[in-house]
Amino acid sequence: MTRLLGFDYGLNKIGVAVGQTLTRSASPLTILRARHGKPDWPSLAALIEEWQPEAFVVGLPFNMDDSEVDWSPRVHRFGRQLEGRFRRPVHLVDERLTTIEARRLLREGHAGNARSPVGVDALAAALILETWLSEQDAV
């Protein structure tokens, strides 16, 4: 079994989820604050120490025309920094529509509620991680 951490990177907040390859499932974990796109590295390091993931999955935002969004270079940089700081592989996955799906799930009561402490960003991170896990079946 491989444990992974998934991330929904944003300039102000970073949703975090934990998942594993045995069940190919993920659960929302928390939301970390970011300042102007700079992650809270000490809090992130504490999560990595606690969960001991073997790899990271980071959502990469795309436009509907399959082009990357204008702030995608920041997501690539976050991925490179994760890999460099924590010496674990980083996998990027298309995160298109995950935040919309997370909001829908919360609104319909399928994943807590809109006031849940987990929040939209952590649920989006779980969806991103599950997307990557499901793609591993196809390989």
Side-chain angles (χ1 to χ4, degrees):
M1 175 182 82
T2 300
R3 183 175 298 134
L4 305 130
L5 285 182
F7 298 95
D8 180 27
Y9 176 85
L11 299 179
N12 298 313
K13 295 182 285 185
I14 301 170
V16 185
V18 63
Q20 44 91 14
T21 56
L22 184 64
T23 63
R24 291 179 174 84
S25 63
S27 300
L29 195 57
T30 191
I31 297 171
L32 299 176
R33 295 287 169 199
R35 271 189 166 216
H36 308 293
K38 294 182 182 177
D40 177 354
W41 290 111
S43 294
L44 193 50
L47 278 175
I48 292 166
E49 178 66 27
E50 177 182 353
W51 290 97
Q52 293 295 310
E54 293 180 34
F56 306 116
V57 176
V58 178
L60 184 60
F62 282 88
N63 293 307
M64 295 312 287
D65 68 358
D66 292 335
S67 63
E68 290 186 15
V69 300
D70 59 348
W71 57 276
S72 287
R74 289 178 173 233
V75 177
H76 285 282
R77 182 170 189 240
F78 174 66
R80 286 190 307 273
Q81 288 175 321
L82 273 175
E83 191 169 39
R85 286 174 182 254
F86 302 107
R87 306 271 184 235
R88 291 170 175 92
V90 172
H91 308 283
L92 298 175
V93 65
D94 185 346
E95 71 161 26
R96 206 174 339 204
L97 304 176
T98 54
T99 300
I100 291 168
E101 177 66 5
R103 285 191 183 118
R104 184 190 67 77
L105 289 170
L106 288 172
R107 187 175 55 250
E108 293 177 2
H110 298 294
N113 61 53
R115 294 190 178 129
S116 168
V118 169
V120 170
D121 299 294
L123 183 53
L127 294 171
I128 288 164
L129 188 45
E130 286 182 347
T131 296
W132 185 84
L133 287 164
S134 69
E135 289 175 353
Q136 302 318 294
D137 286 342
V139 176

